[in-house]
Amino acid sequence: MSVTPLTRRPLRCAVAVAAALGAVVLALPPAASAASAEPGNCPVKDDPSWSGWTDYAQLTEELDQIEQTSKGRVQVDVAGRTTQGRDLYAARVGTGDRVLLVTSAIHGNERTGTEALLGILKDLGSSDDAATHQLLSEVTLVAMPMVNPDGGELNRRINVRSWDETLAQFPQLAGAPRAWYHSLTGDGIAQPGYDLNRDFNPDLDYTPRAADLPGQQTDAGFFLSPESRAIRDTYTALRDEKGAVDAYIDLHHMGPCERITGGPQDGKLVTVSLDYPPLGVNDGAKYKKDWPKLDQDKSRRYAVTVANGIADAFGSQSRLASTARYLHPDTREYAGQGRSAFALNGTGTVLFEVRGQQDDLGQAQKGMFVKAVRTGVESLLGGLASGTADTVDGDTFFQLPDYGWETTAD
Ligand SMILES: [Zn+2]
């Protein structure tokens, strides 16, 4: 695919959020826009090679190897198939009652989570120490390390799926406007697709209806893509089998140059930022009548568990522990995100946003970012197993520093 660097500029999670917030974008500090990406100690590139990152073929091979080496401990299932025919893998390890589902690369060009999950699966599948066996008796981990491989192979955010293909599957939508999160082009590549992280509905049995289209950011999504449906199906099967999915982590990337505001790492570049579900004012109060299982504090407890685990592993001054709160003004509302839909069903959900995408940073700092993500996921696994994730004070989430948005976004 030949595209110019100019049109290849990726839409980052944070930028997309800021644009959707309208007036708020004007008040954000310059560091929140792609235009502020400066050379020097925050070097960025326009279109570096991503050959150093795991692609779909390598993922397939690696998962096969992990499954074989584990001698039955890791089970790799095909949870669905993309529009272009790629398998969507769900790898499962552990037999415990505490259940963690993790998805990565739902935005195809956000890749550190894929590497982190492969590392975790490899270790949990082959380590024979007592601590590993103990952990696997307490938790069940289902990892979906690449849930948008069609987008990933194009190194872009959205998946690949036309509106005609959507109508062929859901003929009842004929004549309705396209869903608001369906685009005709993505990251400069003129192939249509969906922002998959807007395609979720808390009604997990939802069937697409013409009257609900096109929808908007504060509405639930419509499960119009095979990728989001595969994640939904994996979630509901786990819930039905185990009684509940305790936790869900969604692994992403944000803009490349954000700096911590306040705390022991004031002024340092963010390594990873964390969030609980964005469900509007008063902590999602308007949802609680219809979705009584919503527990925003549970999501914050799990996020705190992640942040504490990273700081404990590396020390609070470590660059790996340069952890922030992700952009989340009170009014922020993204009902169609997977983490929102699953939270409304009672799961504690944590968003990871690693600083910079491979489009900006290439492989620079890849090892550090992957290690931070991996340690964060492992921290929640450990916290679920020991129970500390349930008892930590969720309010301490608000003591994590932001990156300059708190005082300017109101
Ligand atoms: Zn993302």
Side-chain angles (χ1 to χ4, degrees):
M1 183 63 55
S2 177
V3 291
T4 66
L6 187 66
T7 56
R8 192 59 181 266
R9 215 74 181 98
L11 178 66
R12 294 167 191 79
C13 288
V15 175
V17 167
L21 284 169
V24 173
V25 73
L26 300 173
L28 282 171
S33 78
S36 71
E38 291 170 358
N41 59 4
C42 180
V44 296
K45 307 169 184 178
D46 274 333
D47 186 20
S49 164
W50 53 281
S51 61
W53 298 81
T54 299
D55 65 15
Y56 175 73
Q58 291 166 330
L59 175 84
T60 303
E61 197 174 320
E62 180 104 355
L63 285 175
D64 190 43
Q65 189 142 26
I66 289 171
E67 187 176 37
Q68 284 183 35
T69 307
S70 79
K71 297 184 171 59
R73 205 189 290 176
V74 176
Q75 180 190 328
V76 180
D77 291 325
V78 174
R81 193 156 286 126
T82 68
T83 301
Q84 295 187 324
R86 295 187 176 92
D87 288 337
L88 297 166
Y89 301 112
R92 173 172 174 153
V93 62
T95 56
D97 292 336
R98 303 305 302 273
V99 179
L100 171 62
L101 174 65
V102 190
T103 54
S104 179
I106 194 168
H107 292 144
N109 52 357
E110 303 176 10
R111 297 177 183 279
T112 51
T114 303
E115 314 291 336
L117 291 177
L118 288 173
I120 291 172
L121 289 167
K122 200 171 180 177
D123 271 12
L124 291 181
S126 59
S127 298
D128 266 322
D129 55 284
T132 299
H133 285 287
Q134 174 66 24
L135 181 70
L136 294 178
S137 72
E138 301 280 359
V139 301
T140 297
L141 168 67
V142 175
M144 302 181 75
M146 191 183 285
V147 292
N148 178 14
D150 291 357
E153 293 295 293
L154 294 173
N155 207 23
R156 75 172 189 179
R157 174 187 178 91
I158 64 175
N159 74 346
V160 180
R161 188 166 180 80
S162 70
W163 190 248
D164 282 348
E165 285 164 326
T166 308
L167 293 180
Q169 184 177 4
F170 304 110
Q172 72 270 27
L173 302 182
R178 288 185 299 125
W180 72 274
Y181 52 91
H182 184 262
S183 305
L184 300 179
T185 183
D187 288 298
I189 300 165
Q191 293 188 54
Y194 290 89
D195 186 334
L196 292 171
N197 199 28
R198 308 290 183 270
D199 198 32
F200 290 80
N201 194 301
D203 175 1
L204 301 174
D205 297 320
Y206 175 83
T207 302
R209 291 184 307 197
D212 294 338
L213 293 171
Q216 57 185 332
Q217 128 195 335
T218 50
D219 296 337
F222 312 115
F223 289 129
L224 296 175
S225 272
E227 296 89 346
S228 46
R229 298 172 79 83
I231 296 168
R232 184 269 316 266
D233 292 347
T234 301
Y235 176 93
T236 53
L238 260 177
R239 181 200 59 191
D240 294 347
E241 177 195 338
K242 307 290 279 188
V245 176
D246 297 280
Y248 169 66
I249 290 176
D250 197 17
L251 300 170
H252 286 255
H253 284 229
M254 55 186 266
C257 296
E258 308 295 354
R259 290 180 185 278
I260 296 275
T261 303
Q265 300 224 31
D266 187 33
K268 299 243 178 81
L269 289 163
V270 170
T271 292
V272 60
S273 60
L274 304 171
D275 197 19
Y276 62 97
L279 288 168
V281 295
N282 297 324
D283 227 4
K286 79 173 189 186
Y287 293 93
K288 285 185 178 153
K289 183 169 169 287
D290 289 332
W291 305 100
K293 290 182 177 172
L294 175 66
D295 182 351
Q296 293 281 66
D297 193 68
K298 174 153 77 172
S299 293
R300 289 190 285 266
R301 289 196 294 275
Y302 291 176
V304 167
T305 301
V306 170
N308 287 350
I310 295 173
D312 290 348
F314 304 109
S316 62
Q317 290 294 323
S318 165
R319 286 198 64 193
L320 283 90
S322 179
T323 306
R325 283 184 290 149
Y326 187 62
L327 179 71
H328 190 148
D330 289 346
T331 51
R332 192 174 178 225
E333 186 167 355
Y334 276 79
Q337 296 193 334
R339 61 188 177 121
S340 297
F342 297 148
L344 290 164
N345 282 277
T347 295
T349 76
V350 185
L351 174 78
F352 283 46
E353 292 274 1
V354 168
R355 179 175 58 79
Q357 293 170 315
Q358 66 282 350
D359 311 74
D360 309 305
L361 301 176
Q363 289 191 65
Q365 304 168 64
K366 173 185 173 187
M368 177 182 77
F369 290 131
V370 171
K371 202 168 174 181
V373 171
R374 178 176 169 164
T375 303
V377 174
E378 289 172 339
S379 298
L380 185 51
L381 273 177
L384 290 170
S386 69
T388 57
D390 306 310
T391 56
V392 70
D393 182 358
D395 284 346
T396 58
F397 177 81
F398 296 110
Q399 292 169 15
L400 289 172
D402 56 58
Y403 42 92
W405 51 264
E406 185 171 50
T407 55
T408 54
D410 56 9

